[in-house]
Amino acid sequence: MLNFESDYLEGAHEKILQRMLETNEEKLTGYGHDKYSASAVDKIRQACLCPEADVYFISGGTLTNALVIASMLKKYEGVLAAETAHIATHETGAIEYSGHKVLTLPQTQGKISATQVRDYLTTFWADANHEFMVFPGMVYLSHPTEYGTLYSKEELQAISEVCHDYQIPLFLDGARLGYGLASPESDLSLPMIAEYCDVFYIGGTKVGAFLGEAIVFTKHNCPEYFLAHMKQQGALLAKGRLLGLQFDTLFTDQLYLTISQHAIAMAMRLKKGLQEKNYRFYLDSPTNQQFIVIQNKQLEELKKKVAFGFWETFDESHSVIRFATSWATKEADIDELLTLL
Amino acid sequence: MLNFESDYLEGAHEKILQRMLETNEEKLTGYGHDKYSASAVDKIRQACLCPEADVYFISGGTLTNALVIASMLKKYEGVLAAETAHIATHETGAIEYSGHKVLTLPQTQGKISATQVRDYLTTFWADANHEFMVFPGMVYLSHPTEYGTLYSKEELQAISEVCHDYQIPLFLDGARLGYGLASPESDLSLPMIAEYCDVFYIGGTKVGAFLGEAIVFTKHNCPEYFLAHMKQQGALLAKGRLLGLQFDTLFTDQLYLTISQHAIAMAMRLKKGLQEKNYRFYLDSPTNQQFIVIQNKQLEELKKKVAFGFWETFDESHSVIRFATSWATKEADIDELLTLL
Amino acid sequence: MLNFESDYLEGAHEKILQRMLETNEEKLTGYGHDKYSASAVDKIRQACLCPEADVYFISGGTLTNALVIASMLKKYEGVLAAETAHIATHETGAIEYSGHKVLTLPQTQGKISATQVRDYLTTFWADANHEFMVFPGMVYLSHPTEYGTLYSKEELQAISEVCHDYQIPLFLDGARLGYGLASPESDLSLPMIAEYCDVFYIGGTKVGAFLGEAIVFTKHNCPEYFLAHMKQQGALLAKGRLLGLQFDTLFTDQLYLTISQHAIAMAMRLKKGLQEKNYRFYLDSPTNQQFIVIQNKQLEELKKKVAFGFWETFDESHSVIRFATSWATKEADIDELLTLL
Amino acid sequence: MLNFESDYLEGAHEKILQRMLETNEEKLTGYGHDKYSASAVDKIRQACLCPEADVYFISGGTLTNALVIASMLKKYEGVLAAETAHIATHETGAIEYSGHKVLTLPQTQGKISATQVRDYLTTFWADANHEFMVFPGMVYLSHPTEYGTLYSKEELQAISEVCHDYQIPLFLDGARLGYGLASPESDLSLPMIAEYCDVFYIGGTKVGAFLGEAIVFTKHNCPEYFLAHMKQQGALLAKGRLLGLQFDTLFTDQLYLTISQHAIAMAMRLKKGLQEKNYRFYLDSPTNQQFIVIQNKQLEELKKKVAFGFWETFDESHSVIRFATSWATKEADIDELLTLL
């Protein structure tokens, strides 16, 4: 059966597997102190044009979010995020488990704006009783967002300015960062993201790796003894080589970008096909996730032939569904899907 | 250079790599709902003779310990463990981070006894003010221990009885379980461990896998909505297949046991060699970790030729060091090490 | 200067002081095991017509909320509340500090409805991925609300039914409960509240006591070893007598109700005066907090003569302010305030 | 019946009650912003000869300990304490509940030494794998200790030096501080304690107040936004006046010291009587808690006539019991007790 359920359906890119085979018997020091991790750090620093960045590899996104937030915030601080942000909705309260509140702002197509953030911060600090409220200590953005949308350079820069005016870090969750960078509608490069954000992560799990996310601290702002934070939150893999080697491969010869571009090409082929068939889009996504509104009856039929993501109820008779492409999607599958639709 | 620093120096067993290659392009559902995870669960149930066990796969040991303890204990409960237990010493307070105290007992060769546990529990419940103390809500054992030693069947059964008398679960940390099962001095089988323990985990990271530990709840006692606990603590991998497939391989044709036996054979070869050279052992370990007491001067010389683990200061002029073998250790390396010593 | 800033401006009711004097030299057991605490528990049970209720006394509201929620919820559960609920806004994240998320619902005049709660619960349980979300494990209501409004008997009963359908407890924060019970517009008695709620607290700090809130578990549902929970969260006073004696006094000869009625009479006298002067009310409050919308210019003038609560910005030129009466408010002060306005 | 069970048996000193009566009707701002709290802060600063100290009032000892430790430590740090320290034994894991480990050291008569602390810190920092261990981030002392013993000036100064060498704060739990200062065997004054410690608290609950502990930060080291920390942990009383007024009274005309001296005089009268009757002391306590070893048979007899604290089992036929005097103990009661013994 066809499957467009998510962007983590397959294993890993073949080059990663190949290098795992080649290096398998090498005896390497644990906990990320191996040569492949060191090489991956170097390559990521270069790709970000941020030679002094601190880079750490973590096994998954929720753990990464919880770790970055808990290690950077003061105890009485929370994190500002869109009401649809992954940390606010689909991580079973992992942030609250670490003791911190997610302070939500209304979203527009999955995004929040510099104006919203500034208003929140201004109001907070103007309130005579702000010590009775959770302090906004960080801004969290997903890029691409949970709806596949992107921040423009101008939007990101503006949010960054607000954060710096209020001296709080800007954290960008890049679980699907490759698909954002590869989108033709994006005017943001990796060095720009490193410039505007204080910390961000480059997603591997959804972009070619078996597992792994690379946290990048860009402003000499890595929490002291970050390994201790990692160990305490269960985020320090014994065989750190497994993460290092994958990112080393993804950041060799621009593999990360190349495979992301493929996913976008596949998504655009699908989008064009859907447009031609007059499907109604829930919103205009320039990345690898495409959301359409379909009749519930059609949804039931479609389910028998293809796996996709059910997103939300649209109205009594319609639903929003998601098709996700990835680095591994085949053109033939797109075409077969379009035939079915 | 020779390297006996730990049992997680290499990648994974070749059969695991082979199956990763074979299955890499399959599109599989995430979060452990794939067929390989299901198959691994079945095989582990069979190997434990515990057909209704609940089995979950986690990426690493510290996260596993934190998850099992935090999901099973009541808020005001702590976990009883040897003062040398991994959770008490080398996890940067991951258990306390989850809000629970590690209640330590004096150890003998890394072990605690049923008598110690019973005395602690009896004293606690006899104290009129026990509501002012942390309740002992679980017993944690490492097997093999941090010193490579093993509980006998009689010892484990006795501790199990105490736990059941007081209705608290017995949790066995099996990060190196294979090396315990494969030791000729062990009289404990996997089904016995499943019988005596309420929950335990089978370590993969140190025994043939890239990463992964399999938690086994043996008494229909898995905390409700365990996936929610996993997600909340950042322990739910998107590509659960990666863990499932590895355990499926390790539990096919007794691979887990076979490769563990190899590690033990290597450790015994080393032990015999050390005995013949009249090295002083720190304690008598029947498993893959061997601890010797050497002069600090010799230690400095040895460091130049071989990597090993520094364990602790013995006295002013001596130290305890550790050599670890694993599933991947080569006989030639043992022999070369013995030549150097 | 006149002061209507809050309902906790004065010390305690004179009868409380008198009994503190009378009993001061008695030697009493600590931690709530004294005879006055026991007597207070009895009287509260009687007042609630709930002879088997479990009753505990805590020093303040935030600690009470954090304790009730953390002791009753499972680790992966959160608490449903109005977006304006005290726990969601003005407790510096005390609930999140305990690891639990506050799941907010839009409010109407500070209240949420049974329909909203049912919709949330239905949607949550219908979602195939609900294990990725925080489980709604409790409903929290403030009564009176933060805006002085009240739930009717019908409304409370309906919310109670939803909770029981979904087997989650209904928790009512009664920091100002007396002022709710004493309002002529209330059709809820203490026994009804005990019937509909699974747990609630009777506020002392704002209703005649120096400090103290009485938690009432009405359904044999008190978390096991609740004293241990209290101690762990720092909520167990050594001299529990101080809390017990105050509640014993407040629940003797209906003092709690009588002094609450006085506060309401004062509030209604103020409300009538404000209405006669054509002040604009922010909403129609039947209890001791009255909110009006005034011009910022007038606000600045008023500030020089009377203390009041600034609530929120209404529009560019207007603000919402609050006048609070209490058990200690004097008629003469109301009249003087009305002269000034 | 006679009662020597603890030092928190009675209400409060009569002068406190008198001032509560006098000020009861005053309308005062909440949360510690009242004039009596301000005055108490001033007087405590003067008594400590520490004019810029930050002083906050908290309702009880466990909450104070949890608040000081959680607000001052980094996430991965723990607190060093004697194995018999209150925070390690009798607070139901309140410190672990805040996420921090209590790192225990063996005690001698309830005390730890500068040498022990230095050895621990040296060993920790020398360990190549210290990021896998909880960082020692604070030293906690009780003074008087849980066994009534006292640190000498020399001992405290030495521990202070070690802490400052390693740049970690020294925290002194002074739940019974008055009884330490008033002991004829003490060579420590309040200004000395303020000099050697980075933070300490002056206990009110056990020394004349209904409730209340005064935290003193002596080195411009109060955590930023401490009120937010207080509110978050439920430690901010609405009617802060209640705590401020009591400490204002206790620090007027040296009342705190005078009533402590009375308690010590009573304890010494009892000690002398016990010595004359050849009772066996468990240890030599110079403060208000006296520990003797008695036969279990005699213990049972004694219980019928006098309440005391059971401390611990001494051997099969003997127990350690505690008699506590306080500011409220009457000479006649001591004499009657001595007659019974």
Side-chain angles (χ1 to χ4, degrees):
Chain A
M1 197 167 81
L2 281 177
N3 193 335
F4 289 88
E5 209 175 0
S6 76
D7 31 22
Y8 40 87
L9 294 170
E10 290 87 358
H13 192 274
E14 58 183 346
K15 288 199 181 157
I16 284 176
L17 267 164
Q18 189 186 319
R19 292 197 70 199
M20 284 169 72
L21 277 169
E22 288 166 10
T23 64
N24 192 50
E25 292 193 24
E26 293 177 22
K27 292 179 198 290
L28 299 174
T29 305
Y31 306 111
H33 299 303
D34 63 282
K35 62 185 174 187
Y36 300 112
S37 296
S39 170
V41 168
D42 274 350
K43 288 176 184 167
I44 286 172
R45 284 172 172 166
Q46 285 168 33
C48 295
L49 297 183
C50 192
E52 297 182 354
D54 293 296
V55 182
Y56 292 90
F57 304 107
I58 307 295
S59 60
T62 298
L63 200 49
T64 302
N65 286 330
L67 178 64
V68 168
I69 292 168
S71 67
M72 295 191 82
L73 289 188
K74 288 184 189 119
K75 187 174 138 260
Y76 51 82
E77 292 179 333
V79 52
L80 272 173
E83 62 195 345
T84 47
H86 205 245
I87 55 167
T89 56
H90 285 97
E91 300 190 339
T92 323
I95 307 309
E96 289 79 9
Y97 182 66
S98 81
H100 299 281
K101 190 182 183 81
V102 181
L103 304 158
T104 54
L105 294 171
Q107 53 84 32
T108 306
Q109 299 207 321
K111 299 196 290 180
I112 54 174
S113 71
T115 306
Q116 282 179 291
V117 174
R118 190 177 292 279
D119 285 352
Y120 191 97
L121 289 163
T122 308
T123 303
F124 174 82
W125 288 104
D127 192 317
N129 294 318
H130 64 253
E131 285 176 311
F132 288 58
M133 299 191 286
V134 173
F135 284 49
M138 173 185 270
V139 171
Y140 165 100
L141 307 177
S142 319
H143 180 86
T145 68
E146 293 72 14
Y147 286 99
T149 52
L150 291 171
Y151 286 89
S152 70
K153 185 186 164 188
E154 197 182 341
E155 288 168 342
L156 188 65
Q157 190 173 11
I159 294 174
S160 178
E161 270 176 35
V162 176
C163 287
H164 297 159
D165 286 353
Y166 282 89
Q167 295 182 286
I168 60 173
L170 174 57
F171 170 35
L172 185 144
D173 172 337
R176 296 187 170 95
L177 188 55
Y179 304 137
L181 296 170
S183 169
E185 293 191 27
S186 169
D187 58 357
L188 276 168
S189 65
L190 205 45
M192 287 173 196
I193 285 170
E195 183 187 343
Y196 299 138
C197 299
D198 299 282
V199 55
F200 68 100
Y201 77 86
I202 302 170
T205 304
K206 290 169 178 161
V207 192
F210 278 115
L211 82 170
E213 325 294 321
I215 307 177
V216 186
F217 293 99
T218 63
K219 309 273 188 284
H220 303 104
N221 58 342
C222 178
E224 207 179 8
Y225 300 113
F226 195 66
L227 278 189
H229 281 290
M230 287 172 67
K231 186 69 181 168
Q232 186 185 36
Q233 294 188 243
L236 189 58
L237 275 198
K239 295 186 185 170
R241 70 195 292 162
L242 181 61
L243 303 176
L245 186 69
Q246 291 184 93
F247 275 97
D248 190 50
T249 307
L250 289 170
F251 279 82
T252 298
D253 298 335
Q254 299 211 295
L255 183 63
Y256 190 70
L257 195 58
T258 313
I259 63 176
S260 295
Q261 283 164 342
H262 171 76
I264 296 301
M266 292 302 100
M268 292 308 119
R269 186 179 186 93
L270 173 60
K271 188 177 184 176
K272 188 155 164 281
L274 290 165
Q275 283 167 335
E276 284 167 6
K277 288 171 184 279
N278 291 315
Y279 272 92
R280 177 175 176 184
F281 286 82
Y282 181 57
L283 46 61
D284 183 26
S285 160
T287 62
N288 75 312
Q289 302 178 83
Q290 296 295 322
F291 299 87
I292 61 171
V293 180
I294 66 165
Q295 281 199 313
N296 293 340
K297 209 174 157 181
Q298 191 186 353
L299 182 151
E300 292 304 324
E301 280 305 303
L302 198 58
K303 254 190 198 172
K304 296 172 190 162
K305 300 168 201 157
V306 57
F308 51 82
F310 171 79
W311 222 242
E312 56 196 61
T313 297
F314 185 77
D315 61 26
E316 272 184 36
S317 55
H318 293 79
S319 297
V320 180
I321 64 170
R322 181 188 78 170
F323 298 110
T325 67
S326 81
W327 58 277
T329 303
K330 298 204 170 67
E331 201 172 293
D333 287 347
I334 297 287
D335 295 344
E336 193 181 337
L337 173 60
L338 286 170
T339 313
L340 288 177
L341 283 161
Chain B
M1 196 167 83
L2 280 177
N3 193 335
F4 289 88
E5 209 175 2
S6 75
D7 32 21
Y8 40 87
L9 295 170
E10 291 87 358
H13 192 274
E14 58 183 346
K15 288 201 181 155
I16 284 176
L17 266 163
Q18 188 185 322
R19 292 196 71 199
M20 283 168 73
L21 277 168
E22 288 165 11
T23 64
N24 192 49
E25 291 191 26
E26 293 177 21
K27 291 178 198 291
L28 299 174
T29 305
Y31 306 111
H33 298 304
D34 63 282
K35 61 185 173 187
Y36 299 113
S37 296
S39 171
V41 168
D42 274 350
K43 289 177 184 167
I44 287 173
R45 285 172 172 165
Q46 285 168 33
C48 295
L49 297 184
C50 192
E52 295 182 353
D54 293 296
V55 181
Y56 291 91
F57 305 107
I58 307 294
S59 59
T62 298
L63 200 49
T64 301
N65 286 330
L67 178 64
V68 168
I69 292 168
S71 67
M72 293 191 83
L73 288 189
K74 287 182 191 122
K75 188 175 137 258
Y76 51 82
E77 291 179 334
V79 52
L80 272 173
E83 62 195 344
T84 47
H86 205 244
I87 55 166
T89 57
H90 285 98
E91 300 191 339
T92 322
I95 307 310
E96 288 80 8
Y97 182 67
S98 82
H100 299 282
K101 191 182 183 79
V102 181
L103 303 159
T104 55
L105 294 171
Q107 53 85 31
T108 307
Q109 300 206 323
K111 299 196 289 179
I112 54 175
S113 71
T115 306
Q116 283 178 290
V117 174
R118 189 177 293 279
D119 285 352
Y120 191 97
L121 290 162
T122 308
T123 303
F124 173 83
W125 288 103
D127 192 316
N129 294 317
H130 62 254
E131 285 176 311
F132 289 58
M133 299 191 286
V134 173
F135 284 49
M138 174 186 270
V139 171
Y140 165 99
L141 306 178
S142 318
H143 180 86
T145 69
E146 293 72 14
Y147 287 99
T149 51
L150 291 172
Y151 287 88
S152 69
K153 184 185 165 188
E154 197 182 341
E155 288 167 341
L156 188 64
Q157 190 172 13
I159 295 174
S160 177
E161 270 175 35
V162 177
C163 288
H164 297 160
D165 286 354
Y166 282 88
Q167 294 182 286
I168 60 173
L170 174 57
F171 170 35
L172 184 144
D173 173 337
R176 296 187 169 95
L177 188 55
Y179 303 138
L181 296 171
S183 170
E185 294 191 27
S186 170
D187 58 357
L188 276 167
S189 65
L190 205 45
M192 288 173 196
I193 285 170
E195 183 188 343
Y196 299 137
C197 299
D198 300 281
V199 55
F200 67 101
Y201 76 86
I202 302 169
T205 303
K206 289 168 178 162
V207 192
F210 278 114
L211 81 171
E213 324 295 320
I215 307 176
V216 186
F217 293 99
T218 62
K219 307 276 187 283
H220 303 102
N221 57 343
C222 177
E224 205 179 9
Y225 300 114
F226 195 66
L227 278 189
H229 281 289
M230 288 172 66
K231 184 69 181 168
Q232 185 186 37
Q233 293 188 242
L236 188 59
L237 276 197
K239 296 185 185 171
R241 68 195 289 161
L242 181 60
L243 303 176
L245 186 68
Q246 291 183 93
F247 275 97
D248 191 51
T249 308
L250 289 170
F251 280 81
T252 298
D253 297 336
Q254 299 211 295
L255 182 62
Y256 190 70
L257 196 58
T258 313
I259 64 176
S260 296
Q261 283 163 342
H262 171 76
I264 296 301
M266 293 302 99
M268 293 307 119
R269 187 178 186 91
L270 173 60
K271 189 178 183 175
K272 187 156 165 281
L274 290 165
Q275 283 167 336
E276 285 167 7
K277 289 171 185 280
N278 291 314
Y279 273 91
R280 175 174 179 187
F281 286 83
Y282 181 57
L283 46 62
D284 182 27
S285 160
T287 62
N288 75 313
Q289 303 178 83
Q290 296 295 324
F291 299 86
I292 61 171
V293 180
I294 66 166
Q295 281 200 311
N296 293 339
K297 210 173 155 183
Q298 190 187 355
L299 182 152
E300 292 305 323
E301 279 306 304
L302 198 58
K303 252 190 198 173
K304 297 171 190 161
K305 300 169 201 154
V306 58
F308 51 83
F310 170 80
W311 221 243
E312 57 196 63
T313 297
F314 185 77
D315 61 26
E316 271 183 39
S317 55
H318 294 78
S319 298
V320 180
I321 64 169
R322 181 190 76 171
F323 298 111
T325 67
S326 81
W327 57 278
T329 303
K330 297 202 169 67
E331 201 171 293
D333 287 347
I334 298 287
D335 294 345
E336 193 180 336
L337 173 60
L338 286 171
T339 312
L340 288 177
L341 283 162
Chain C
M1 196 167 82
L2 281 176
N3 193 335
F4 288 88
E5 210 175 0
S6 75
D7 32 20
Y8 40 89
L9 295 169
E10 291 87 357
H13 191 275
E14 59 184 346
K15 287 198 181 159
I16 283 176
L17 266 163
Q18 189 186 320
R19 291 196 70 199
M20 284 168 72
L21 277 169
E22 288 166 11
T23 63
N24 192 51
E25 292 193 24
E26 293 177 20
K27 292 179 199 289
L28 299 174
T29 305
Y31 306 109
H33 298 304
D34 63 283
K35 62 185 174 188
Y36 299 113
S37 296
S39 170
V41 168
D42 274 351
K43 288 177 184 166
I44 287 173
R45 285 171 171 167
Q46 285 168 33
C48 296
L49 297 183
C50 192
E52 296 182 355
D54 293 296
V55 181
Y56 291 90
F57 304 107
I58 307 293
S59 60
T62 298
L63 201 49
T64 301
N65 286 330
L67 177 64
V68 168
I69 292 168
S71 67
M72 294 191 83
L73 288 190
K74 286 180 192 124
K75 187 175 138 261
Y76 51 82
E77 292 179 332
V79 52
L80 273 173
E83 62 195 344
T84 47
H86 205 246
I87 56 166
T89 57
H90 285 96
E91 299 190 340
T92 322
I95 307 309
E96 288 79 8
Y97 182 67
S98 82
H100 299 282
K101 191 181 183 78
V102 182
L103 303 159
T104 54
L105 294 171
Q107 52 85 31
T108 306
Q109 300 208 323
K111 300 195 290 180
I112 54 175
S113 71
T115 306
Q116 282 179 290
V117 174
R118 189 177 292 278
D119 285 352
Y120 191 98
L121 290 163
T122 308
T123 303
F124 174 82
W125 287 103
D127 192 317
N129 294 317
H130 63 255
E131 283 175 312
F132 290 56
M133 299 192 284
V134 173
F135 284 49
M138 173 186 271
V139 171
Y140 165 100
L141 307 176
S142 318
H143 181 85
T145 69
E146 294 72 15
Y147 286 99
T149 51
L150 291 172
Y151 287 89
S152 68
K153 185 186 164 186
E154 197 182 339
E155 289 168 341
L156 188 65
Q157 190 173 9
I159 294 174
S160 177
E161 271 176 34
V162 177
C163 288
H164 297 160
D165 285 354
Y166 282 89
Q167 292 182 286
I168 60 173
L170 174 57
F171 170 34
L172 184 145
D173 172 338
R176 294 187 171 96
L177 188 55
Y179 305 138
L181 297 170
S183 169
E185 292 190 27
S186 169
D187 59 357
L188 277 167
S189 65
L190 205 45
M192 288 173 195
I193 285 170
E195 183 187 342
Y196 299 136
C197 298
D198 300 282
V199 54
F200 68 100
Y201 77 86
I202 302 170
T205 304
K206 290 169 178 161
V207 191
F210 278 114
L211 82 171
E213 324 295 320
I215 306 176
V216 186
F217 293 98
T218 62
K219 308 275 187 283
H220 303 103
N221 57 343
C222 179
E224 207 180 7
Y225 301 114
F226 196 66
L227 277 188
H229 282 289
M230 287 173 67
K231 185 69 181 168
Q232 186 186 36
Q233 294 188 242
L236 188 59
L237 277 196
K239 295 184 184 171
R241 71 197 287 163
L242 181 61
L243 303 176
L245 186 69
Q246 290 184 94
F247 275 96
D248 191 52
T249 308
L250 289 170
F251 280 81
T252 299
D253 298 336
Q254 301 212 293
L255 182 62
Y256 189 70
L257 196 58
T258 313
I259 64 176
S260 296
Q261 284 164 340
H262 171 76
I264 296 300
M266 292 302 99
M268 294 306 119
R269 186 180 187 94
L270 172 59
K271 187 177 185 177
K272 187 155 166 280
L274 290 165
Q275 284 167 334
E276 285 167 5
K277 287 170 186 280
N278 292 313
Y279 272 91
R280 177 175 176 184
F281 286 82
Y282 181 57
L283 48 60
D284 182 27
S285 161
T287 63
N288 75 314
Q289 302 178 82
Q290 296 296 321
F291 298 86
I292 60 171
V293 180
I294 65 166
Q295 282 200 311
N296 292 340
K297 208 173 155 181
Q298 191 187 354
L299 181 152
E300 291 306 324
E301 279 307 302
L302 199 58
K303 252 190 197 173
K304 296 172 190 163
K305 298 168 203 157
V306 57
F308 51 82
F310 170 79
W311 221 243
E312 57 195 60
T313 297
F314 185 77
D315 60 27
E316 272 184 39
S317 54
H318 294 79
S319 298
V320 180
I321 64 170
R322 181 189 77 170
F323 298 111
T325 67
S326 81
W327 58 278
T329 303
K330 295 203 170 70
E331 200 170 296
D333 287 347
I334 298 287
D335 294 345
E336 193 180 334
L337 172 60
L338 286 171
T339 312
L340 288 177
L341 283 162
Chain D
M1 195 168 83
L2 279 177
N3 193 335
F4 288 88
E5 210 175 0
S6 76
D7 32 21
Y8 40 86
L9 295 169
E10 291 88 358
H13 192 274
E14 59 184 346
K15 287 198 183 157
I16 284 176
L17 266 164
Q18 188 186 321
R19 292 197 69 199
M20 284 169 72
L21 277 168
E22 287 165 11
T23 63
N24 191 51
E25 293 192 23
E26 293 178 21
K27 291 178 198 290
L28 299 174
T29 305
Y31 306 110
H33 298 304
D34 63 282
K35 63 185 174 187
Y36 299 113
S37 295
S39 171
V41 169
D42 274 351
K43 287 176 185 167
I44 286 172
R45 286 172 171 166
Q46 285 169 34
C48 295
L49 297 183
C50 193
E52 295 182 354
D54 293 296
V55 181
Y56 291 90
F57 304 107
I58 307 294
S59 59
T62 297
L63 200 49
T64 300
N65 285 331
L67 177 64
V68 168
I69 291 168
S71 67
M72 295 191 83
L73 288 189
K74 286 180 192 123
K75 187 174 138 262
Y76 51 82
E77 292 179 334
V79 53
L80 273 173
E83 63 195 344
T84 47
H86 205 245
I87 56 167
T89 55
H90 285 97
E91 300 190 338
T92 322
I95 307 309
E96 289 79 9
Y97 182 67
S98 82
H100 299 283
K101 190 180 182 79
V102 181
L103 303 159
T104 54
L105 295 171
Q107 53 84 31
T108 307
Q109 300 207 321
K111 298 196 291 179
I112 55 175
S113 72
T115 305
Q116 283 178 289
V117 174
R118 190 177 292 278
D119 285 352
Y120 191 97
L121 290 163
T122 307
T123 304
F124 173 82
W125 287 103
D127 191 316
N129 294 318
H130 63 254
E131 284 176 313
F132 289 57
M133 299 190 286
V134 173
F135 285 49
M138 174 186 269
V139 172
Y140 165 100
L141 306 176
S142 319
H143 181 86
T145 68
E146 293 72 14
Y147 286 99
T149 52
L150 291 172
Y151 287 89
S152 70
K153 185 186 162 185
E154 198 182 338
E155 289 167 341
L156 188 64
Q157 192 174 9
I159 294 174
S160 178
E161 271 175 34
V162 178
C163 288
H164 297 159
D165 286 353
Y166 283 88
Q167 293 182 286
I168 60 172
L170 174 57
F171 169 36
L172 184 145
D173 173 337
R176 294 187 170 96
L177 189 55
Y179 304 138
L181 296 171
S183 170
E185 292 191 29
S186 168
D187 58 358
L188 276 167
S189 65
L190 205 45
M192 287 174 197
I193 285 170
E195 185 188 341
Y196 299 136
C197 298
D198 300 282
V199 55
F200 67 99
Y201 76 86
I202 302 169
T205 304
K206 289 168 178 162
V207 191
F210 277 113
L211 82 170
E213 325 295 319
I215 306 176
V216 186
F217 294 98
T218 63
K219 307 278 188 280
H220 303 103
N221 57 343
C222 177
E224 206 178 10
Y225 300 113
F226 195 66
L227 277 189
H229 282 289
M230 288 171 67
K231 185 68 181 170
Q232 186 185 36
Q233 293 188 244
L236 189 58
L237 275 197
K239 295 184 184 171
R241 70 195 289 164
L242 181 61
L243 303 176
L245 186 70
Q246 290 183 94
F247 274 96
D248 191 52
T249 308
L250 289 170
F251 279 83
T252 298
D253 299 335
Q254 300 211 295
L255 182 62
Y256 190 70
L257 196 58
T258 313
I259 64 176
S260 296
Q261 284 164 341
H262 171 76
I264 296 301
M266 292 301 100
M268 293 307 118
R269 187 178 186 94
L270 172 60
K271 188 177 184 176
K272 188 156 165 281
L274 289 164
Q275 284 166 335
E276 285 168 6
K277 288 170 186 281
N278 292 316
Y279 272 92
R280 174 175 179 186
F281 286 83
Y282 181 57
L283 46 61
D284 183 26
S285 161
T287 62
N288 75 312
Q289 302 177 83
Q290 297 295 323
F291 299 86
I292 60 171
V293 179
I294 66 166
Q295 283 200 311
N296 293 340
K297 207 173 155 183
Q298 190 186 356
L299 182 150
E300 292 305 323
E301 280 305 303
L302 199 58
K303 253 190 196 173
K304 296 172 190 162
K305 299 169 201 154
V306 57
F308 50 83
F310 170 79
W311 222 244
E312 57 196 62
T313 298
F314 184 77
D315 61 25
E316 272 184 38
S317 56
H318 294 79
S319 298
V320 180
I321 64 169
R322 182 189 76 170
F323 298 111
T325 67
S326 80
W327 58 277
T329 304
K330 296 204 171 67
E331 201 172 293
D333 287 348
I334 297 287
D335 294 346
E336 194 179 336
L337 173 61
L338 285 170
T339 312
L340 288 176
L341 283 161

